[in-house]
């Protein structure tokens, strides 16, 4: 496991094209008539043959269209009024209804605090206000056909807001009913705290180790609960954007068009299959509930500028969204510590655009989304700490350019009052080019994803879901070559079949159990006669992996005007198939997926009617079949150059607390204690050199945490944030673990900021990051940004 930090391209001292593990869709065939038979299983019937068609994603779109309702004749209506704790109407507030039949639908209250949902199917719905700092008592309403139900939603102040989450199970659920370690951060959190990237938001999630190898735009990795930097599956509106094998540079994720970020810690392969081995980050973009608009312009230190704009809305069943962002910075241009040399080539530029269009009504909905992101970043090298004096000067040549695109379409239909079918199809493509003093290289990832699912409302409080997901992915790189040293792709197809059962009783007990069977087929690969790492011809290889999960939550004391007490338990497994370089640069034709097993227990206690909430979680993770280089010291453990022989474990405690006053002050804090250990490899008492059994894993600090305070009163908003980390084991910055292991110093950094409304639509804001101008490094040898001042203006519709 420790060596994999470099086998997977995670060594920032030797940056190559940051996209070298990447995918391309494959092909297949289906008669279009097969999706036109109707009934709740029409999409399921089409999937088996659609995956063999050269345009199988397009055919699944056809399946979606055939799954939609032929009319919106249902006349059921649910309407009502939202009131604040003082009994006053709440205008322009978001509110959702959720049910296994329709998932969730959102709207905004009008100027008088009223809302309505028209043309909804007969059934039971939970009504949930989605207002920052407020919750309401559970409200479940039964609506009959041709009936209009009227309800009143009464808000109360709470430290943790309610949310609809889509990452904890196979259907949408209220956050309060989940049993997983799940953190939700919303657009209100981003704006109030002036967060400028997804990376900044994830620093507020307990259990995640965030490591940025330098300043803004630098290579950024996430280590979930002691797992590797490629152990986090990232989804955008349900579609994966990781590279082939799980890698991802989190600096490629802008934040302005995001509605919320859901982060589930622990393996989730029972839900999402491959690459969900350590955690899942779900990015949900804004669409519907409007019209809303917003934008900002900011600038500051290091010649940093950011321009962003977005709009979203809904009208007569149609919904839309449109957004764009441009971020640029010159980075650090001062002198190096070791040689007093002027730094250059630390600049970065990121551009992003997104669009969405949807329709919902009656018993069905359909949505299409598109995203485009491009980045251009210099790599000046490790110009910070130099423990062995190996720094050879600022790299003024190395640069990387990356372009990523995602298109997706999804649809659902309710059949009667007990069954819903859903179809999703998407295509992801990422291209990268890297230039260095050794020349230039390119890399590509392509992935097509198709998923069909049926949800059934059962009897006795039991609901069921089941379905199939097919992924065809391909990776290519200048360095992956064949018999004639020509560039060749690595191709793989993953077919996952899944089932889940959910049980709920009296709003106090919630149990979820599921399993997913993954069939992973890697295509054959021609030999490579390289004198350095020759590869024999590989036949096609098929691996089957079964991943179960079970979780439960019980309210010892249900939510009331005094608070609540909630206990949680969860256990599951996860897998990560080999990446493209692990396949291309081995003589082992049978590399298996890496595996994880996890158990966690937790408790949540609310006081003061929910205005103070304390949560604690203990977790235990075991990592097996990790892919490492064998070498001479481990030759008795395997006859191959690389093999699934390494093992590690991690255990820890996550503690978080939140308090919200009636005067506008919101304080929350999080702390993670993490204990990691490298275990002996299979059939040997040794660990991969230079490590020995019992050593901690790289870049996993034992202690880390944050304190965040936000004050909102009238038109004034201010925040202060302390983020701190203890020392962590790291490697020699220029040449990696072979030349030594070192302890990177811990640090504590304070950020502050404020904003003031000038009008209902316009505010000015400013912030200071790293107030004390402290020198620190999240990755040894790569200095983080010093004191940085930013000022700007924000335009927004009132919410």
């Amino acid at each position: 496991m420790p060596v994999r930090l470099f086998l997977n391209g995670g060594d920032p001292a030797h940056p190559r094209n940051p996209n070298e593990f990447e995918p391309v869709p494959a092909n297949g065939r289906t008669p279009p008539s097969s999706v036109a038979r109707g009934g709740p299983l029409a999409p399921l019937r089409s999937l088996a043959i659609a995956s063999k068609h050269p345009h199988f994603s397009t055919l699944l779109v056809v399946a979606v269209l055939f799954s939609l309702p032929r009319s919106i004749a249902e006349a059921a209506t649910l309407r009502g009024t939202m009131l604040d704790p003082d009994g006053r109407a709440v205008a322009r507030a978001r509110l959702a209804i959720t049910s296994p039949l329709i998932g969730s639908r959102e709207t905004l209250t009008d100027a008088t605090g009223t809302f309505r949902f028209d043309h909804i199917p007969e059934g039971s719905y939970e009504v949930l206000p989605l207002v920052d700092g407020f919750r309401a008592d559970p409200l479940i309403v039964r609506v009959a056909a041709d009936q209009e139900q009227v309800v009143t939603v009464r808000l109360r102040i709470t430290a943790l807001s309610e949310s609809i989450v889509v990452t904890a199970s196979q259907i949408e659920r209220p956050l309060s009913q989940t049993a997983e370690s799940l953190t939700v951060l919303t657009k209100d959190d981003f704006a109030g705290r002036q967060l400028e990237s997804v990376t900044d938001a994830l620093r507020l999630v307990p259990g995640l180790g965030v490591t940025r190898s330098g300043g803004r735009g630098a290579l950024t990795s996430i280590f979930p609960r002691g797992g590797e930097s490629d152990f986090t599956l990232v989804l955008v509106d349900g579609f994966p954007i990781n590279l082939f094998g799980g890698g991802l540079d989190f600096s490629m994720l802008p934040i302005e068009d995001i509605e919320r970020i859901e982060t589930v810690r622990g393996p989730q392969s029972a839900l999402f299959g491959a690459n969900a081995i350590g955690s899942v980050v779900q990015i949900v973009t804004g669409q519907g509930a409007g019209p809303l608009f917003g934008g900002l312009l900011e600038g500051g230190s290091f010649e940093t500028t950011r321009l962003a704009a977005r709009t979203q809305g809904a009208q007569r069943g149609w919904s839309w969204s449109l957004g764009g962002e441009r971020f640029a910075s010159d980075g650090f241009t001062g002198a190096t510590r070791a040689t007093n040399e002027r730094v250059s080539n630390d600049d970065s530029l990121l551009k992003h655009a997104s669009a969405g269009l949807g329709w919902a009504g009656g018993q069905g909905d359909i949505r299409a989304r598109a995203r485009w992101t491009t980045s251009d970043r210099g790599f000046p090298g490790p110009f910070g700490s130099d423990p062995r004096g190996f720094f050879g000067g600022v790299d003024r040549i190395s640069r990387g350019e990356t372009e990523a695109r995602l298109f997706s379409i999804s649809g659902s239909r309710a059949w009667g009052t007990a069954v819903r079918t859903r179809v999703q199809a998407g295509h992801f493509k990422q291209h990268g080019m890297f230039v260095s003093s050794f020349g230039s290289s390119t890399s590509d990832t392509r992935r097509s994803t198709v998923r069909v699912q049926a949800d059934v409302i059962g009897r006795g409080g039991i609901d069921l879901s089941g379905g199939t997901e097919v992924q065809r992915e391909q990776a290519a790189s200048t360095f992956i070559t064949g018999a004639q040293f020509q560039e060749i792709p690595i191709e793989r197809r993953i077919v996952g079949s899944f089932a889940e059962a959910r049980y709920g009783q009296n709003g106090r007990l919630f149990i979820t159990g599921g399993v997913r069977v993954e069939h992973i087929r890697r295509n054959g690969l021609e030999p490579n006669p390289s004198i350095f790492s020759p590869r024999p011809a590989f036949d096609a290889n098929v691996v089957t992996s079964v991943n179960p999960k079970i979780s439960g939550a019980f309210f010892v004391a249900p939510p009331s005007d005094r608070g609540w007490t909630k206990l949680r338990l969860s256990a599951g497994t996860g897998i990560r198939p080999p990446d493209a370089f692990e396949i291309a640069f081995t003589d082992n034709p049978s590399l298996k997926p890496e595996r994880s097993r996890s158990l966690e227990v937790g408790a949540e206690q609310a006081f003061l009617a929910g205005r103070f909430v304390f949560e604690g979680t203990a977790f235990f993770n075991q990592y097996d079949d990790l892919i490492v280089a064998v070498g001479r010291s481990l030759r008795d453990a395997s006859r191959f150059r690389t093999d699934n022989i390494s093992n590690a474990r991690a255990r820890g405690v996550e503690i978080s607390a939140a308090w919200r006053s009636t005067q506008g002050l919101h304080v929350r804090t999080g702390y993670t204690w993490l204990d990691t250990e490298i275990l002996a490899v299979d059939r040997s008492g040794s660990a991969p050199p230079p490590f020995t059994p019992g050593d901690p894993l790289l870049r996993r600090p034992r202690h880390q945490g944050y304190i965040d305070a936000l004050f909102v009163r009238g038109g004034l908003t201010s925040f202060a944030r302390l983020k701190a980390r203890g020392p962590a084991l790291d490697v020699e910055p220029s040449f990696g673990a072979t030349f030594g292991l070192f302890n990177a110093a811990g640090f504590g950094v304070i950020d502050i900021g404020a904003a003031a409304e000038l009008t209902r639509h316009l505010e000015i804001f400013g912030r200071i990051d790293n107030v004390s101008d402290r020198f620190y490094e999240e990755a040894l040898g790569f200095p983080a940004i010093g004191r940085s001042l930013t000022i700007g203006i924000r335009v927004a519709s009132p919410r």
Side-chain angles (χ1 to χ4, degrees), residues 8-9 15-22 219 243 247-249 251-252 375 377 379 399-402 430-435 441 443 445:
N8 287 344
R16 56 172 182 251
N17 188 331
N19 315 282
E20 284 180 340
F21 324 114
E22 317 192 48
L219 175 67
L243 305 182
L248 180 68
D249 180 2
S251 70
M252 285 282 293
S375 73
R377 181 66 161 86
F379 291 88
R399 297 193 68 82
E401 296 181 9
T402 305
Q430 184 161 311
H431 172 77
M433 181 177 70
F434 191 77
V435 177
S441 62
S443 63
T445 286

Side-chain angles (χ1 to χ4, degrees), residues 652-697:
V653 175
E654 299 165 355
I655 297 174
S656 62
W659 172 69
R660 190 184 300 269
S661 77
T662 57
Q663 305 302 314
L665 179 62
H666 184 203
V667 179
R668 57 186 178 188
T669 182
Y671 166 77
T672 303
W673 175 80
L674 177 66
D675 178 52
T676 64
E677 181 180 0
I678 298 170
L679 304 178
V681 303
D682 299 338
R683 301 177 294 278
S684 172
S686 303
F691 303 93
T692 58
D695 283 348
L697 294 168

Side-chain angles (χ1 to χ4, degrees), residues 358-435:
W359 177 84
Q363 294 182 334
D365 63 76
I366 184 168
R367 289 183 173 89
R369 296 179 175 91
R371 290 171 61 87
W372 171 83
T373 307
T374 181
S375 73
D376 182 356
R377 181 66 161 86
F379 291 88
F383 58 84
S385 297
D386 188 18
R388 300 202 59 178
F390 288 163
F391 178 63
V394 174
D395 186 341
R396 307 186 192 279
I397 299 175
S398 295
R399 297 193 68 82
E401 296 181 9
T402 305
E403 181 183 35
R405 299 179 181 180
L406 173 66
F407 174 78
S408 63
I409 187 168
S410 60
S412 69
R413 175 174 176 172
W415 304 83
T417 60
V419 178
R420 175 177 62 154
T421 54
R422 289 185 279 169
V423 183
Q424 298 174 300
H427 181 70
F428 172 73
K429 177 181 179 181
Q430 184 161 311
H431 172 77
M433 181 177 70
F434 191 77
V435 177

